[in-house]
Amino acid sequence: KEIKFLKDCVESKTKSNIELAEKFIDDEGKEGEYLKLLSKTIPSIKIKYAIEYLWEVEATEMTQLKNGDTKNIICNDYWDYFFDGDDNDDMMATFGGNMVAGYHEDDENQVAQEQMVGFYWRLSDIPDGYKTVMIDVEIYCPQIEFYIQFFDIKMSRSGDNNDGTGNTGHTSLFPIGALANYDTFTWRVIMKPSLVEPQQQ
């Protein structure tokens, strides 16, 4: 999206913005000069395209969570990721997000502590012919300036743990008291998935 913005929306009399954008991604949506050079210089590197998804948790849901009426809020929107950089459904994976609270309140080590808020994501769909996705995820909550990263998470819908998990995340990110002053809440989720070729599994 950033490369597309640089190419299509930034104005330059010399068209230098277009030239720069195409050094990353060419007209056909493939790796440009810079990315090819990076791959050649560091053969082990894996180039992934990051997409940021925005989730605004509504006031009603926030009240239910803070009052203990629910432990789980499900994002109503699905997050689609196109591995070929185009809107090609055949190369699309779909993810979803959940905000949770108090998942460990019955744990004897957590009873005396404040309820914790967490976030986990799930893999809802994967392109045909593939079983596994490797994914890096960044989570940012701007209202409380919370940030965390997860790397090299193996995910799958096959039901076989060797292929990966169907959902993952962390149920204890920050105390629920951090939400006290907010009627709504924002999650900014940046996902960088890559498909694992069947012969590599």
Side-chain angles (χ1 to χ4, degrees):
K1 290 184 178 180
E2 287 77 8
I3 297 297
K4 183 175 176 60
F5 178 85
L6 174 63
K7 185 175 181 179
D8 298 339
C9 301
V10 174
E11 296 184 2
S12 171
K13 293 181 179 179
T14 63
K15 304 296 183 181
S16 58
N17 60 307
I18 297 176
E19 293 178 8
L20 178 58
E22 290 183 350
K23 287 184 181 296
F24 289 95
I25 306 294
D26 66 19
D27 279 336
E28 297 179 355
K30 298 180 180 179
E31 294 179 3
E33 179 183 336
Y34 285 166
L35 294 185
K36 288 180 179 177
L37 179 60
L38 182 61
S39 297
K40 183 178 180 180
T41 305
I42 311 175
S44 62
I45 197 169
K46 291 183 178 180
I47 297 174
K48 305 176 184 179
Y49 303 102
I51 295 183
E52 180 181 87
Y53 304 95
L54 181 67
W55 178 19
E56 299 279 358
V57 183
E58 298 178 355
T60 301
E61 295 174 317
M62 284 288 289
T63 298
Q64 293 174 341
L65 192 76
K66 289 189 284 187
N67 289 345
D69 296 329
T70 184
K71 291 184 177 182
N72 184 20
I73 300 174
I74 301 173
C75 179
N76 292 324
D77 297 323
Y78 285 102
W79 302 330
D80 296 331
Y81 183 96
F82 298 92
F83 290 97
D84 58 1
D86 201 358
D87 293 344
N88 178 7
D89 290 345
D90 292 336
M91 291 300 292
M92 180 184 76
T94 301
F95 299 90
N98 291 60
M99 180 180 185
V100 299
Y103 260 42
H104 296 296
E105 65 180 0
D106 297 328
D107 188 320
E108 62 180 4
N109 297 318
Q110 298 282 336
V111 169
Q113 301 179 17
E114 185 176 4
Q115 278 192 354
M116 298 296 289
V117 175
F119 179 92
Y120 70 87
W121 64 94
R122 61 194 181 278
L123 178 64
S124 299
D125 198 10
I126 189 172
D128 290 342
Y130 294 89
K131 290 184 178 181
T132 301
V133 171
M134 294 293 291
I135 186 169
D136 299 339
V137 175
E138 300 175 52
I139 296 172
Y140 177 53
C141 305
Q143 291 149 293
I144 61 173
E145 297 186 349
F146 177 84
Y147 178 80
I148 192 170
Q149 294 177 298
F150 301 90
F151 296 103
D152 296 329
I153 306 297
K154 193 176 184 181
M155 302 193 72
S156 177
R157 287 178 49 81
S158 71
D160 186 337
N161 289 334
N162 292 323
D163 294 331
T165 181
N167 60 76
T168 188
H170 202 300
T171 55
S172 299
L173 295 179
F174 50 82
I176 198 167
L179 306 178
N181 297 325
Y182 303 103
D183 294 329
T184 61
F185 196 70
T186 301
W187 295 92
R188 304 184 80 95
V189 183
I190 299 174
M191 292 187 162
K192 293 172 281 186
S194 60
L195 289 169
V196 176
E197 294 297 332
Q199 63 269 23
Q200 296 179 21
Q201 297 182 33

